[in-house]
């Protein structure tokens, strides 16, 4: 089955050059060799043209929030790719910028010899602008391919105000798309002409990423002009670690997901969001693994499309709860970004939320902190400080505490717009999964996005849903969590 046209978007009007030397797959967002429609499309093109395939995976050093943490995670993935692609008839070129703008010109140099470029069509961060700018500069077709989620982004032509509304839409629309699954390994059994090397002129100026950097050398990382204040996270990046994380989740945590996922001290969620963010694993692989475990078939889908949170997929209650997060909530934000609705997170809020927050903008705030206080976990609230320390140290935060974290930033900042800016800054700087459509939706949710008004009307929040550390501590045990993240970092 060829990759469906709903997922492929020509980004310029340039031709395919039949006499080019190779097909170029420019991997920027879907950093994985498996279940990847973009790689699959590039293989299709190579086979049709009878040309070699070059995979260029780049890592810039001047993107917002570039740090040891984010770089290490991507570099781990590149190491996996080097080993993986070595077994296939593909030329893999990992390129890591060693100075600002050093990579400029590489894509054009490759494009000058390519038949066409296949690129990743990701709807957030600086990536849409980068792809559009590149499409204008190259002389061949640049085709952007959507491997983001289960529903192709172009199927929904409107944004949705709530998860409920989106779920109803999915329940009507998804059955036609569920069987359109990317190939597990698009290079398996494929025979392509091989390109032994790129021209020396290219590899001299834009060499293969340094071995020391790829193998994890902290010194090599320190030489790059990125933020060294944000250290590597304790977890490893790359598709190998992503697959291990998925297997562990399915074996040990999924059965408890619906009942216990909100416990801050429990580890009952998947921990997959960093891998999903960097495209090191795709939703199809995750969903497929759940389907396989539960012996699922399309006949199990409910014919109803009432937007109910459970019972539609025909899976166990735990799996339904998980799939609702992975598909409904995740793809809601991808839909919002693809349609440009989430790009300005303040404007993205529903009218009632913007109005109620504006009405309470000048309310007295018993506690007021600025970005530095928040970043350093210097508030009066031990639970909040512990959550912020976890984010700084580990690049992650439990979902329940993440909601509380955002609500308190709203309560303790100078105003809602300042709170929004602080949340975005801290989340995108420290969280491995930040800079994602889910970052915008999660942070927006703290201010009323995809939610409804809640009474009673309160100071600062107005009718935006309120949360408190005291309630959290009443609902769940948090002593162990507090002890774990209590000590300020040295
Ligand atoms: C203030 C705030 C900021 C957030 N920032 C981010 C972010 O930068 N990146 C990010 O991926 N998520 C973000 N979220 C959503 C959510 O907290 C994380 O997706 C989740 O905690 C990731 O952990 P997990 O992979 O173990 O999730 P699981 O519970 O195992 O869920 C599986 C997957 O479903 C998706 N998912 C789960 N919950 C949500 C949700 N509420 N909204 C959208 N998708 C969801 C994620 O892709 C997640 O990896 C944020 C939420 C809040 C309240």
């Amino acid at each position: 089955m060829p990759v469906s046209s709903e997922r492929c978007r020509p980004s310029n009007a340039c031709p395919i050059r039949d006499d080019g030397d190779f097909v170029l797959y420019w991997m920027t967002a879907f950093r994985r060799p498996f279940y990847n429609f973009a790689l699959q499309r590039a293989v299709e093109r190579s086979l049709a043209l009878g040309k070699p395939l070059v995979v260029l995976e780049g890592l810039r050093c001047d993107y917002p929030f570039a740090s040891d943490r984010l770089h290490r995670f991507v570099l781990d993935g590149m190491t996996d790719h080097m080993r993986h692609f070595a077994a296939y008839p593909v030329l893999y070129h990992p390129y890591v910028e060693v100075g600002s703008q050093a990579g400029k010109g590489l894509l054009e140099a490759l494009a000058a010899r390519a038949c066409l470029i296949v690129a990743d069509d990701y709807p957030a961060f600086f990536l849409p602008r980068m792809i559009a700018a590149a499409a204008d500069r190259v002389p061949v077709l640049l085709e952007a391919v959507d491997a983001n989620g289960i529903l192709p982004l172009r199927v929904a032509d409107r944004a949705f105000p709530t998860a409920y509304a989106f779920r109803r839409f999915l329940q009507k629309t998804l059955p036609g798309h569920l069987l359109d699954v990317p190939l597990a390994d698009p290079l398996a059994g494929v025979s392509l002409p091989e390109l032994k090397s790129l021209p020396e002129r290219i590899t001299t100026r834009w060499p293969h990423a340094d071995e020391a950097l790829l193998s994890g050398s902290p010194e090599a990382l320190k030489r790059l002009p990125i933020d060294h204040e944000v250290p590597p996270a304790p977890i490893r990046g790359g598709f190998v670690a992503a697959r291990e994380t998925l297997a562990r989740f399915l074996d040990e945590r999924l059965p408890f997901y619906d009942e216990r996922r909100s416990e801050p001290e429990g580890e009952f969620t998947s921990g997959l969001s960093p891998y999903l963010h960097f495209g090191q694993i795709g939703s199809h692989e995750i969903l497929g693994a759940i389907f396989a475990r539960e012996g699922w078939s399309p006949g199990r889908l409910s014919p109803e499309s009432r937007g109910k949170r459970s019972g539609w997929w025909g899976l166990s209650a735990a799996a339904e709860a998980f799939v609702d997060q992975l598909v409904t909530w995740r793809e809601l934000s991808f839909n919002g970004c693809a349609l440009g609705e989430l790009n300005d997170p303040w404007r993205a809020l529903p009218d009632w939320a913007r109005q109620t927050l504006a009405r309470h903008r000048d309310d007295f705030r018993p506690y007021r902190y600025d970005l530095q206080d928040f970043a350093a976990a210097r508030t009066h609230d031990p639970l909040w400080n512990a959550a912020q320390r976890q984010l700084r140290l580990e690049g992650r935060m439990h979902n329940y505490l993440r909601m509380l974290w955002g609500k308190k930033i709203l309560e303790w900042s100078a105003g809602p717009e300042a709170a929004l800016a602080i949340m975005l800054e801290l989340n995108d700087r420290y969280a491995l999964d930040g800079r994602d459509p889910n970052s915008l939706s999660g942070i927006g949710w703290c201010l009323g996005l995809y939610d409804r008004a809640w009474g009673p009307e309160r100071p600062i929040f107005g009718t935006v849903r309120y949360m408190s550390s005291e309630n959290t501590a009443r609902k769940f045990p948090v002593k162990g969590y507090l002890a774990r993240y209590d000590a300020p970092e040295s």
Side-chain angles (χ1 to χ4, degrees):
M1 279 265 288
V3 175
S4 113
S5 58
E6 280 166 333
R7 292 193 180 262
C8 302
R9 181 173 61 85
S11 301
N12 59 18
C14 297
I16 295 176
R17 218 177 27 219
D18 293 339
D19 62 351
D21 294 340
F22 50 80
V23 169
L24 177 64
Y25 171 39
W26 183 23
M27 182 187 269
T28 56
F30 313 131
R31 294 178 185 265
R32 62 179 180 271
F34 303 117
Y35 296 92
N36 179 348
F37 279 123
L39 175 59
Q40 185 176 329
R41 180 67 165 175
V43 174
E44 262 169 29
R45 292 293 202 176
S46 289
L47 285 170
L49 291 160
K51 297 285 180 174
L53 176 61
V54 172
V55 177
L56 167 67
E57 183 175 10
L59 181 56
R60 290 168 59 163
C61 64
D62 58 358
Y63 64 90
F65 308 108
S67 64
D68 287 5
R69 177 167 299 170
L70 306 185
H71 257 57
R72 183 70 264 146
F73 209 76
V74 175
L75 289 165
D76 289 345
M78 286 180 163
T79 309
D80 289 353
H81 290 164
M82 270 189 21
R83 292 194 191 115
H84 177 82
F85 286 122
Y88 293 90
V90 168
L91 193 150
Y92 173 63
H93 190 66
Y95 172 71
V96 181
E97 251 188 356
V98 290
S100 180
Q101 303 290 311
K104 215 168 167 189
L106 168 58
L107 189 76
E108 288 87 333
L110 289 169
R113 325 261 316 213
C115 305
L116 79 153
I117 303 171
V118 177
D120 295 342
D121 201 1
Y122 179 80
F125 202 34
F126 68 92
L127 295 179
R129 287 192 305 279
M130 183 178 77
I131 298 292
D136 287 345
R137 287 198 313 266
V138 295
V140 287
L141 173 67
L142 189 149
E143 188 174 41
V145 179
D146 162 16
N148 293 288
I150 306 297
L151 189 74
L153 288 180
R154 265 177 300 285
V155 168
D157 56 3
R158 62 184 193 282
F160 295 85
T162 58
Y164 166 74
F166 186 55
R167 199 180 288 112
R168 284 191 63 167
F169 175 81
L170 285 178
Q171 292 175 353
K172 286 195 194 98
T173 320
L174 262 190
H177 296 274
L178 275 179
L179 297 182
D180 184 17
V181 175
L183 293 172
D185 180 355
L187 283 160
V190 165
S191 167
L192 284 175
E194 260 191 88
L195 192 70
K196 289 284 171 239
S197 60
L198 291 172
E200 210 180 303
R201 197 176 50 77
I202 294 183
T203 51
T204 310
R205 181 154 170 209
W206 298 286
H208 191 284
D210 180 61
E211 289 297 330
L213 201 52
L214 289 173
S215 63
S217 152
E219 294 74 33
L221 208 52
K222 286 279 175 274
R223 286 197 286 275
L224 299 181
I226 54 178
D227 182 357
H228 303 302
E229 298 291 305
V230 183
I235 59 167
R236 193 183 155 78
F239 75 79
V240 174
R243 291 184 142 188
E244 286 165 6
T245 304
L246 173 61
R248 199 166 49 243
F249 171 63
L250 296 177
D251 287 343
E252 297 166 14
R253 303 179 180 181
L254 178 62
F256 309 100
Y257 187 84
D258 53 336
E259 304 271 329
R260 304 191 59 185
R261 71 173 181 277
S262 293
E263 293 175 17
E265 288 186 358
E267 295 280 4
F268 296 109
T269 69
S270 69
L272 284 168
S273 61
Y275 303 103
L276 280 162
H277 168 69
F278 286 106
Q280 294 171 345
I281 197 163
S283 303
H284 283 98
E285 179 166 5
I286 302 172
L287 201 56
I290 292 177
F291 285 167
R293 288 211 170 205
E294 303 223 346
W296 182 90
S297 66
R300 303 243 301 251
L301 289 178
S302 161
E304 286 185 355
S305 52
R306 297 206 198 137
K308 282 192 0 200
R309 241 193 321 230
S310 61
W312 185 76
W313 291 91
L315 293 164
S316 65
E320 294 248 346
F322 176 74
V323 169
D324 194 53
Q325 300 297 323
L326 179 73
V327 181
T328 311
W329 281 95
R330 178 169 183 270
E331 299 198 14
L332 175 63
S333 67
F334 276 71
N335 163 264
C337 280
L339 292 166
E341 297 281 328
L342 286 186
N343 296 352
D344 175 345
W346 178 255
R347 301 263 16 121
L349 298 181
D351 289 344
W352 69 263
R354 247 181 297 121
Q355 283 158 10
T356 195
L357 289 171
R359 240 191 335 270
H360 289 272
R361 179 176 286 127
D362 299 324
D363 287 358
F364 171 68
R365 283 150 167 84
Y367 298 99
R368 273 266 294 267
Y369 303 108
D370 61 17
L371 176 65
Q372 283 68 35
D373 297 323
F374 283 121
R378 272 195 311 256
T379 78
H380 63 285
D381 183 324
L383 187 55
W384 194 95
N385 292 344
Q388 170 64 17
R389 282 194 202 106
Q390 182 185 20
L391 180 65
R392 279 182 55 153
L393 287 168
E394 298 178 358
R396 68 183 182 121
M397 190 192 294
H398 189 282
N399 179 49
Y400 193 88
L401 293 179
R402 223 167 179 175
M403 297 191 274
L404 176 72
W405 174 89
K407 294 285 183 186
K408 295 291 113 175
I409 294 179
L410 169 61
E411 191 175 341
W412 303 331
S413 296
E417 292 91 344
L420 181 60
I422 290 169
M423 281 189 254
L424 287 169
E425 169 79 22
L426 296 179
N427 189 75
D428 287 353
R429 180 168 303 285
Y430 295 114
L432 280 169
D433 65 9
R435 308 151 311 281
D436 191 89
N438 281 352
S439 320
L440 297 168
S441 63
I443 287 168
W445 179 87
C446 296
L447 305 181
L449 182 70
Y450 301 141
D451 206 359
R452 63 173 172 85
W454 293 77
E457 186 159 353
R458 296 170 184 270
I460 306 170
F461 286 79
T463 52
V464 166
R465 187 199 297 245
Y466 177 78
M467 286 175 76
S468 76
S469 300
E470 294 72 27
N471 277 345
T472 305
R474 266 194 292 276
K475 272 172 122 166
F476 306 110
V478 293
K479 276 204 187 109
Y481 184 85
L482 282 171
R484 196 152 149 213
Y485 299 105
D486 189 28
E489 306 117 75
S490 53

